[in-house]
Amino acid sequence: MTKKLRSQAWFGGLGRDAFIHRSWMKNAGHPDDEFDGRPVIGICNTFSELTPCNAHFRQLAEYVKRGVREAGGLPLEFPVFSCGETNLRPTAMLFRNLASMDVEESIRGNPVDGVVLLTGCDKTTPSLVMGAASCDLPSIVVSGGPMLNGQFEGCAIGSGTDVWRFSENVRAGLMSADAFYAAESAMSRSPGHCNTMGTASTMASMVEALGLALPENAAFPAVDSRRNRLAHLAGRRIVQMVHEDLKPSQILTKAAFENAIRVIGVIGGSTNAVIHLVAIAGRAGVPVNLDDWDRCGHEVPCLLNLMPSGKYLMEDFCYAGGLPALMKEMEHLLHLEALTVTGKSVGENISSARCYNREVIAPFDEPFQPHGGIAVLRGNLAPNGAVLKPSAASPALMRHRGRAVVFETIEDFKTRIDDPALPVDASSVLVLKNCGPKGYPGMPEVGNMALPVKLLKQGIRDMVRISDARMSGTAFGTTVLHVSPEAEVGGPLALVRDRDYIELDMEGRKLHLEVSDAELEARRKTWKPPRPSMASGYQRLYVEHVMQADQGADFDFLLGCRGCAAPHRESH
Ligand code: FES
């Protein structure tokens, strides 16, 4: 190796500061030669017992360390903000950008030459990739892997997806409390993240499709020994990547993003991927927008029969061949020349992949569902776009015209939705406002509004729902999400009133409010922006700087790559 490594700006030489840097590190028992110029690999760990999906990451990090040491590197693990989806209030999305800042500054400010990003729960993947992309130091992602299949009363049950079904059954009086508790235990029976094709699994697939993770990263269950082997191999590989100076900017090209969009479309991935991928592209300085999602995702079928679009789970996907097998099936749609962390192209990585279960991964010419992808809708109700996941929607509702039942806030929705006097029927369109990036703030996953009990009791299980919120990747239904601009900033959604007619046309990519321009203008004159909910603290920073959903909901001042030059100034 000829190039002097970045870490030597801390650990090299005989200066006073070098003494300080080495001496304090030696309190962990490092011998002299560990600071001899070998690659220092940061292991960016989102372990937290409050993020149950990532609670096994201390052990996973040990496997990465094995590989780093074997390849001649020095592994140093560091913690970053862990955005856990289930516990963090008011919503983990509020903190994705904060975590990305933590990651970026932790990498740039420390003596590391490359990083392994340990990600799992939904927001932990985009936050780490966004931070790493803004630094552009050699980086490789290791996902923590999904939980084993849930099993309840003889049937497979999926994280999240069956929660909505069970809770609706309880509300409709069809499931007992005891069965509800038993189902909780049966759903989450091993370490790992959600075992459906929810956001976490979509993110794990996304990083593999982007070329930022080793092949087969997406599907090995968390407790499968091959997950640990993959972590071990990633540890070896990141040391080589440092020697090769292979950086995210060489991998995160427009071609890589188009590959990811197409793969996410074909797996029936989460709508949240739209926001996260646009945000990552923004950090990498690659122009990716909703038009790319529609162009690349339009007319791709869904090949993967996984919940919430289908019936299988991530463990089944693993046994069927995992993401390489799926990518092989759709290789004619991919940029096969795109470079990956293996140092090889996508085409080389998947060349020998095979499918072992056609029930789980359907052949391209006999797809599981004809419509994959994410449909981007536009119209006078969403001038800057809104999204709908066709594979999780009801075919009968993809073209629909109905009267609005409007809720000004999520609290308003919860108060009135089960009111027997609410004028709502199966043809109504539920409209929820003020749940966008600035409005909530933080854009929570409330877009798949629960249906009114009186309709559930009639056997209704889906309705058209429209909001500026997001939806859990494990959820399903004919839900139009991410309406942009959001109601809080005066988007047309703010002007919708009860009994207005709304037209949804998925094929025509249309979302239209049947109210004249003149009437909308009159309503706008009387509209008042809601009062900001937070005058100080992080939420104030968030509300002042978060961009709209179609722009990835990143902070305006975080766009772009700021590089990884070691800061020259010292604090002592
Ligand atoms: Fe963590 Fe689903 S809640 S992955």
Side-chain angles (χ1 to χ4, degrees):
M1 181 179 49
T2 51
K3 191 179 162 207
K4 186 175 168 191
L5 292 176
R6 181 180 186 272
S7 58
Q8 284 296 296
W10 282 261
F11 296 138
L14 293 173
R16 182 200 62 181
D17 289 338
F19 178 102
I20 293 171
H21 299 138
R22 290 188 299 259
S23 175
W24 266 255
M25 292 299 289
K26 284 179 177 178
N27 74 6
H30 294 287
D32 289 343
D33 62 2
E34 293 214 314
F35 303 103
D36 61 0
R38 68 188 64 190
V40 177
I41 304 300
I43 302 173
C44 181
N45 201 338
T46 46
F47 158 82
S48 167
E49 288 180 338
L50 290 166
T51 303
C53 310
N54 299 17
H56 59 298
F57 281 16
R58 280 179 170 163
Q59 295 87 334
L60 196 65
E62 292 306 315
Y63 287 95
V64 176
K65 289 178 188 175
R66 277 191 199 178
V68 171
R69 287 195 185 281
E70 243 174 47
L74 170 62
L76 295 172
E77 187 181 345
F78 63 95
V80 287
F81 190 108
S82 185
C83 286
E85 198 65 29
T86 50
N87 288 324
L88 205 50
R89 293 185 179 183
T91 171
M93 183 63 181
L94 181 65
F95 305 107
R96 183 200 65 177
N97 300 345
L98 178 67
S100 78
M101 291 163 73
D102 180 356
V103 173
E104 177 182 346
E105 301 304 335
S106 294
I107 294 173
R108 186 179 300 111
N110 275 301
V112 294
D113 302 303
V115 281
V116 179
L117 308 172
L118 298 189
T119 71
C121 197
D122 299 9
K123 307 300 177 294
T124 60
T125 305
S127 59
L128 267 58
V129 174
M130 288 161 71
S134 281
C135 277
D136 203 27
L137 204 61
S139 305
I140 190 168
V141 181
V142 175
S143 301
M147 291 187 266
L148 295 174
N149 288 0
Q151 284 287 331
F152 180 62
E153 296 183 339
C155 298
I157 57 171
S159 316
T161 302
D162 282 293
V163 174
W164 320 123
R165 189 165 59 81
F166 291 150
S167 65
E168 305 240 301
N169 284 345
V170 168
R171 291 172 68 232
L174 301 172
M175 187 178 194
S176 71
D178 282 349
F180 198 58
Y181 291 132
E184 287 170 12
S185 308
M187 184 172 285
S188 305
R189 63 189 187 90
S190 84
H193 62 66
C194 289
N195 55 24
T196 43
M197 186 46 79
T199 304
S201 300
T202 303
M203 291 294 99
S205 304
M206 176 191 78
V207 290
E208 188 174 334
L210 281 170
L212 289 176
L214 294 177
E216 302 192 277
N217 172 72
F220 289 139
V223 294
D224 193 311
S225 59
R226 290 170 293 180
R227 173 66 55 189
N228 296 334
R229 188 187 66 178
L230 186 128
H232 186 140
L233 294 173
R236 280 190 199 163
R237 180 62 196 144
I238 188 66
V239 175
Q240 294 162 353
M241 286 171 66
V242 170
H243 291 313
E244 294 163 10
D245 203 21
L246 177 53
K247 296 185 285 203
S249 55
Q250 293 158 266
I251 295 169
L252 293 176
T253 59
K254 183 82 179 194
F257 283 104
E258 291 186 352
N259 281 347
I261 291 172
R262 291 194 168 108
V263 167
I264 291 166
V266 170
I267 63 178
S270 164
T271 46
N272 287 322
V274 178
I275 292 182
H276 298 322
L277 198 78
V278 169
I280 292 166
R283 298 299 187 93
V286 178
V288 174
N289 56 33
L290 291 188
D291 291 335
D292 293 304
W293 275 91
D294 209 45
R295 177 176 56 81
C296 297
H298 203 73
E299 291 175 0
V300 299
C302 178
L303 300 187
L304 194 57
N305 185 358
L306 252 60
M307 295 183 198
S309 303
K311 68 175 185 179
Y312 293 101
L313 293 165
M314 287 299 286
E315 198 181 332
D316 306 304
F317 184 31
C318 173
Y319 304 147
L323 201 71
L326 180 127
M327 289 173 71
K328 183 79 179 158
E329 196 59 44
M330 57 176 291
E331 65 181 338
H332 58 287
L333 296 178
L334 297 175
H335 299 287
L336 294 173
E337 75 290 352
L339 182 63
T340 75
V341 287
T342 61
K344 298 180 186 156
S345 67
V346 167
E348 289 173 294
N349 287 348
I350 65 173
S351 62
S352 59
R354 282 181 56 200
C355 173
Y356 302 102
N357 189 337
R358 285 298 184 197
E359 267 273 300
V360 177
I361 304 172
F364 195 88
D365 43 13
E366 291 171 53
F368 163 58
Q369 286 190 26
H371 298 295
I374 306 280
V376 177
L377 311 170
R378 292 184 197 270
N380 67 347
L381 190 46
N384 294 344
V387 303
L388 171 75
K389 180 172 163 182
S391 62
S394 301
L397 290 174
M398 288 204 217
R399 184 158 196 179
H400 183 79
R401 180 173 177 267
R403 286 195 135 152
V405 178
V406 176
F407 303 93
E408 294 296 327
T409 63
I410 188 65
E411 289 74 22
D412 178 30
F413 169 81
K414 286 181 178 168
T415 304
R416 294 195 295 125
I417 188 64
D418 287 336
D419 181 345
L422 186 73
V424 63
D425 61 32
S427 71
S428 302
V429 174
L430 303 181
V431 174
L432 175 62
K433 304 177 182 176
N434 297 308
C435 290
K438 290 180 191 284
Y440 193 65
M443 209 182 176
E445 294 184 334
V446 295
N448 56 317
M449 293 162 258
L451 305 192
V453 158
K454 67 180 178 186
L455 297 186
L456 288 173
K457 287 184 173 163
Q458 293 169 20
I460 307 298
R461 288 294 180 271
D462 194 12
M463 294 171 69
V464 173
R465 290 158 271 180
I466 300 174
S467 73
D468 46 14
R470 296 178 302 116
M471 171 174 88
S472 165
T474 63
F476 51 86
T478 312
T479 48
V480 177
L481 306 155
H482 312 180
V483 168
S484 179
E486 62 176 303
E488 167 85 14
V489 299
L493 185 69
L495 309 178
V496 182
R497 292 184 182 167
D498 280 331
R499 301 183 61 73
D500 286 346
Y501 272 106
I502 294 177
E503 184 193 354
L504 163 68
D505 177 6
M506 197 283 290
E507 283 285 350
R509 298 301 199 248
K510 182 175 165 191
L511 187 64
H512 183 67
L513 177 64
E514 294 184 8
V515 175
S516 69
D517 291 347
E519 169 62 15
L520 285 177
E521 205 38 55
R523 290 183 190 182
R524 183 170 296 288
K525 286 197 174 113
T526 59
W527 176 78
K528 288 194 181 56
R531 224 157 35 95
S533 60
M534 199 75 173
S536 66
Y538 170 70
Q539 287 196 18
R540 177 171 167 178
L541 174 84
Y542 184 91
V543 169
E544 287 180 355
H545 290 285
V546 72
M547 299 186 292
Q548 289 295 286
D550 62 297
Q551 299 167 302
D554 198 2
F555 290 155
D556 49 12
F557 60 86
L558 290 177
L559 281 172
C561 173
R562 283 162 285 282
C564 62
H568 290 303
R569 287 181 161 176
E570 286 277 2
S571 66
H572 28 72

